[in-house]
Amino acid sequence: DLALNIMASNLVFTDTSSYNFADLVKDSKSVDKMKLQLQLKNGFPVNMEVNAYIVDEKDNVLDKILATPFLLKAAAVSNGNVVSPTDSKVDADYDQVRIQKLKNGNRIIFEIKASTEGYQSGQSVKLLASHKVDIKVIGFVKANLNNL
């Protein structure tokens, strides 16, 4: 890996993941409530603020999954090298109103704002091509079996 030494404050990048609600839940009326859980693994030596948005095919934002940005701490570093990624989870509850927004969307846009620790003092961190962030979205459903 060729190392890149950087200092960053509020560096923003985005990624998009598609979904089809009908593939996940056949009848949203049978769903009393849902919980979306974001499982995050930060393999970068930078702190990240994570936002996630439900959007439709016209890029209209239908819902902000998290009420406030989630702080994902930097991976553990020793002698300038990442020694272990940081694992975190955050939950978002969905009632029927929010479930309809999820049903009307088709993509989740993840927006990540990254900052290196010590950037104010000129301290840089080493980035490698092998560093990565993994985000999994897990859905938990409470269904009304009488409506199935």
Coordinates of all heavy atoms in Angstrom, one line a residue, residues 40-82:
L40 N -21.8 -0.2 11.9 CA -20.7 0.5 11.3 C -19.4 0.0 11.7 O -19.2 -0.2 12.9 CB -20.9 2.0 11.6 CG -22.2 2.6 11.3 CD1 -22.9 3.2 12.5 CD2 -22.1 3.7 10.3
K41 N -18.5 0.0 10.8 CA -17.1 -0.4 11.1 C -16.2 0.6 10.4 O -16.2 0.7 9.2 CB -16.8 -1.9 10.6 CG -15.4 -2.3 11.0 CD -15.2 -3.7 10.5 CE -15.8 -4.7 11.5 NZ -15.4 -6.1 11.4
N42 N -15.4 1.3 11.3 CA -14.5 2.3 10.7 C -13.1 1.8 10.8 O -12.5 1.7 11.9 CB -14.7 3.6 11.6 CG -13.8 4.8 11.0 OD1 -13.1 4.6 10.0 ND2 -13.8 5.9 11.7
G43 N -12.5 1.6 9.6 CA -11.1 1.2 9.5 C -10.2 2.3 9.1 O -9.0 2.0 8.8
F44 N -10.7 3.5 9.2 CA -9.8 4.7 8.9 C -9.4 5.3 10.2 O -10.1 5.3 11.2 CB -10.6 5.8 8.1 CG -10.8 5.5 6.6 CD1 -11.9 4.8 6.2 CD2 -9.8 5.9 5.7 CE1 -12.0 4.5 4.8 CE2 -10.0 5.6 4.4 CZ -11.1 4.9 3.9
P45 N -8.2 6.0 10.2 CA -7.8 6.7 11.4 C -8.4 8.1 11.5 O -7.6 9.1 11.8 CB -6.2 6.7 11.2 CG -6.1 6.7 9.7 CD -7.2 5.9 9.2
V46 N -9.6 8.2 11.2 CA -10.3 9.5 11.2 C -11.7 9.4 11.9 O -12.3 8.3 11.7 CB -10.5 10.1 9.8 CG1 -9.2 10.4 9.1 CG2 -11.3 9.2 8.9
N47 N -12.1 10.4 12.6 CA -13.4 10.5 13.2 C -14.4 10.8 12.1 O -14.1 11.6 11.2 CB -13.5 11.5 14.3 CG -12.7 11.1 15.5 OD1 -12.7 10.0 15.9 ND2 -12.0 12.1 16.1
M48 N -15.6 10.2 12.2 CA -16.6 10.4 11.1 C -18.0 10.8 11.8 O -18.4 10.2 12.7 CB -16.8 9.2 10.3 CG -15.5 8.8 9.5 SD -15.8 7.3 8.5 CE -14.1 7.2 7.8
E49 N -18.7 11.7 11.1 CA -20.1 12.0 11.5 C -20.9 11.4 10.4 O -20.7 11.7 9.2 CB -20.3 13.5 11.6 CG -19.8 14.1 12.8 CD -20.2 15.6 12.9 OE1 -21.1 16.1 12.1 OE2 -19.5 16.3 13.6
V50 N -21.8 10.5 10.7 CA -22.6 9.8 9.7 C -24.0 10.2 9.7 O -24.7 10.3 10.8 CB -22.5 8.2 10.0 CG1 -23.3 7.5 8.9 CG2 -21.1 7.8 10.0
N51 N -24.5 10.6 8.5 CA -26.0 10.8 8.3 C -26.4 9.8 7.2 O -25.6 9.4 6.4 CB -26.2 12.2 7.8 CG -26.3 13.2 8.9 OD1 -27.1 13.0 9.8 ND2 -25.6 14.3 8.8
A52 N -27.7 9.5 7.3 CA -28.3 8.6 6.3 C -29.7 9.1 5.9 O -30.5 9.5 6.8 CB -28.4 7.2 6.8
Y53 N -30.0 9.2 4.6 CA -31.2 9.7 4.1 C -31.9 8.7 3.2 O -31.3 8.1 2.4 CB -31.0 11.0 3.3 CG -30.2 12.0 4.0 CD1 -28.8 12.1 3.9 CD2 -30.8 13.0 4.8 CE1 -28.1 13.0 4.6 CE2 -30.1 13.9 5.6 CZ -28.7 13.9 5.4 OH -28.0 14.9 6.1
I54 N -33.2 8.6 3.3 CA -34.1 7.8 2.4 C -34.4 8.8 1.2 O -35.0 9.9 1.5 CB -35.4 7.3 3.1 CG1 -35.0 6.5 4.3 CG2 -36.3 6.6 2.1 CD1 -34.3 5.2 4.0
V55 N -34.2 8.4 0.0 CA -34.5 9.2 -1.2 C -35.3 8.4 -2.2 O -35.3 7.1 -2.2 CB -33.3 9.8 -1.9 CG1 -32.5 10.7 -0.9 CG2 -32.4 8.7 -2.4
D56 N -36.1 9.1 -3.0 CA -36.8 8.4 -4.1 C -36.1 8.5 -5.4 O -35.0 8.9 -5.5 CB -38.3 9.0 -4.2 CG -38.3 10.4 -4.6 OD1 -37.3 11.0 -5.1 OD2 -39.4 11.1 -4.4
E57 N -36.8 8.0 -6.5 CA -36.1 7.9 -7.8 C -35.8 9.3 -8.3 O -34.9 9.4 -9.2 CB -36.9 7.1 -8.8 CG -38.3 7.8 -9.2 CD -39.4 7.6 -8.1 OE1 -39.2 6.8 -7.2 OE2 -40.4 8.3 -8.2
K58 N -36.4 10.4 -7.8 CA -36.1 11.7 -8.3 C -35.1 12.4 -7.3 O -34.9 13.7 -7.4 CB -37.4 12.5 -8.4 CG -38.3 12.0 -9.5 CD -39.6 12.8 -9.5 CE -40.5 12.2 -10.6 NZ -41.8 13.0 -10.6
D59 N -34.5 11.7 -6.4 CA -33.5 12.2 -5.4 C -34.2 13.2 -4.4 O -33.5 13.9 -3.8 CB -32.3 12.9 -6.1 CG -31.4 12.0 -6.8 OD1 -31.4 10.8 -6.4 OD2 -30.8 12.4 -7.8
N60 N -35.5 13.1 -4.2 CA -36.1 13.8 -3.2 C -35.9 13.1 -1.8 O -36.0 11.9 -1.7 CB -37.7 13.9 -3.4 CG -38.0 14.6 -4.6 OD1 -37.6 15.7 -4.8 ND2 -38.9 14.0 -5.4
V61 N -35.4 13.9 -0.8 CA -35.2 13.3 0.5 C -36.5 13.1 1.2 O -37.3 14.1 1.4 CB -34.3 14.2 1.3 CG1 -34.1 13.7 2.7 CG2 -32.9 14.4 0.7
L62 N -36.9 11.9 1.5 CA -38.1 11.5 2.1 C -38.0 11.4 3.6 O -39.0 11.7 4.3 CB -38.7 10.2 1.6 CG -38.8 10.1 0.1 CD1 -39.3 8.7 -0.4 CD2 -39.8 11.2 -0.4
D63 N -36.8 11.1 4.1 CA -36.6 10.9 5.5 C -35.2 10.9 5.9 O -34.3 10.5 5.1 CB -37.2 9.5 6.0 CG -37.3 9.4 7.5 OD1 -37.6 10.4 8.2 OD2 -37.2 8.3 8.0
K64 N -34.9 11.5 7.0 CA -33.5 11.4 7.6 C -33.5 10.3 8.6 O -34.3 10.4 9.6 CB -33.2 12.8 8.2 CG -31.8 12.9 8.7 CD -31.6 14.3 9.2 CE -30.2 14.5 9.8 NZ -29.9 15.8 10.3
I65 N -32.8 9.3 8.4 CA -32.8 8.1 9.2 C -32.4 8.4 10.7 O -33.1 8.0 11.6 CB -31.9 6.9 8.7 CG1 -32.5 6.5 7.3 CG2 -31.8 5.8 9.6 CD1 -31.7 5.4 6.6
L66 N -31.4 9.2 10.9 CA -30.9 9.5 12.2 C -31.3 10.9 12.5 O -31.1 11.8 11.7 CB -29.4 9.3 12.3 CG -28.8 8.0 11.9 CD1 -27.3 8.0 11.8 CD2 -29.3 6.9 12.8
A67 N -31.8 11.1 13.7 CA -32.2 12.5 14.1 C -31.0 13.4 14.2 O -31.2 14.6 13.8 CB -32.9 12.4 15.5
T68 N -29.9 13.0 14.6 CA -28.7 13.8 14.6 C -27.5 12.9 14.0 O -27.6 11.7 14.1 CB -28.3 14.2 16.1 OG1 -28.1 13.0 16.9 CG2 -29.4 15.1 16.7
P69 N -26.5 13.6 13.5 CA -25.4 12.8 13.0 C -24.8 11.9 14.1 O -24.7 12.2 15.2 CB -24.4 13.8 12.6 CG -25.1 15.1 12.4 CD -26.3 15.0 13.4
F70 N -24.4 10.7 13.6 CA -23.8 9.7 14.5 C -22.3 9.8 14.5 O -21.7 9.8 13.4 CB -24.3 8.3 14.1 CG -23.7 7.2 15.0 CD1 -24.2 7.0 16.3 CD2 -22.7 6.4 14.6 CE1 -23.7 6.0 17.1 CE2 -22.1 5.4 15.4 CZ -22.6 5.2 16.7
L71 N -21.7 9.9 15.6 CA -20.2 10.1 15.7 C -19.6 8.7 15.7 O -19.8 7.9 16.6 CB -19.8 10.9 16.9 CG -18.2 11.0 17.0 CD1 -17.6 11.7 15.8 CD2 -17.9 11.8 18.3
L72 N -18.9 8.4 14.6 CA -18.1 7.1 14.5 C -16.7 7.4 14.8 O -16.0 8.1 14.0 CB -18.4 6.5 13.1 CG -17.7 5.2 12.8 CD1 -18.2 4.1 13.8 CD2 -18.1 4.8 11.4
K73 N -16.2 6.9 15.9 CA -14.8 7.2 16.3 C -13.8 6.6 15.3 O -14.1 5.6 14.7 CB -14.5 6.7 17.7 CG -15.4 7.4 18.8 CD -15.1 8.9 18.8 CE -14.2 9.2 19.9 NZ -13.8 10.6 19.9
A74 N -12.6 7.2 15.3 CA -11.5 6.7 14.5 C -11.1 5.3 14.9 O -11.2 4.9 16.1 CB -10.3 7.6 14.5
A75 N -10.5 4.5 14.0 CA -9.9 3.2 14.3 C -8.7 3.4 15.2 O -8.1 4.5 15.2 CB -9.5 2.5 13.0
A76 N -8.5 2.4 16.0 CA -7.3 2.5 16.9 C -6.0 2.4 16.1 O -5.9 1.7 15.2 CB -7.4 1.3 17.9
V77 N -5.1 3.3 16.5 CA -3.8 3.5 15.8 C -2.6 3.3 16.8 O -2.7 3.7 17.9 CB -3.7 4.9 15.1 CG1 -2.4 5.1 14.5 CG2 -4.9 5.1 14.2
S78 N -1.6 2.6 16.3 CA -0.4 2.4 17.0 C 0.8 2.6 16.1 O 0.8 2.0 15.0 CB -0.3 1.0 17.6 OG 0.9 0.9 18.3
N79 N 1.7 3.5 16.4 CA 2.8 3.9 15.6 C 2.4 4.3 14.2 O 3.1 3.9 13.2 CB 3.8 2.7 15.5 CG 4.5 2.4 16.8 OD1 4.7 3.3 17.6 ND2 4.7 1.1 17.1
G80 N 1.3 5.0 14.1 CA 0.8 5.5 12.8 C 0.0 4.5 12.0 O -0.4 4.8 10.9
N81 N -0.1 3.3 12.5 CA -0.8 2.2 11.7 C -2.1 1.8 12.4 O -2.1 1.7 13.6 CB 0.1 1.0 11.6 CG 1.3 1.3 10.7 OD1 1.2 1.8 9.6 ND2 2.5 0.9 11.3
V82 N -3.2 1.6 11.6 CA -4.4 1.1 12.2 C -4.2 -0.3 12.7 O -3.7 -1.2 12.0 CB -5.5 1.1 11.1 CG1 -6.8 0.4 11.6 CG2 -5.9 2.6 10.7

